[in-house]
């Protein structure tokens, strides 16, 4: 797990979507998406349920936010 992946994940979790998260971490939206997808692949779990332009945390995503906090 890389720090940039975790920053991107937490930004999406707090911002509710990838575009807002990209603004928060000063990266492009595709870069944030790629970081989160790489983290999900590494962990072998889905962290978000994608709902159009919004992203809702899965139970595993909520647990990771709690661990990071």
């Amino acid at each position: 797990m890389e720090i940039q992946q975790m920053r991107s994940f937490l930004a999406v979790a707090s911002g509710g979507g990838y575009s807002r998260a990209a603004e928060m971490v000063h990266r492009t939206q595709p870069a944030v998406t790629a970081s989160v997808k790489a983290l999900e692949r590494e962990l072998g779990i889905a962290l978000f349920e994608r709902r159009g332009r919004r992203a809702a945390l899965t139970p595993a995503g909520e647990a990771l936010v709690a661990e990071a906090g």
Side-chain angles (χ1 to χ4, degrees), residues 13-58:
S14 67
Y18 290 86
S19 295
R20 177 71 184 120
E23 293 172 10
M24 293 168 65
V25 295
H26 307 287
R27 298 182 75 203
T28 64
Q29 180 270 323
V32 169
T33 300
S35 288
V36 171
K37 285 185 178 184
L39 180 60
E40 288 178 321
R41 271 193 310 275
E42 184 177 327
L43 298 175
I45 54 175
L47 300 171
F48 294 101
E49 291 178 7
R50 279 94 176 158
R51 297 180 184 159
R53 301 185 76 165
R54 304 286 300 160
L57 286 166
T58 63

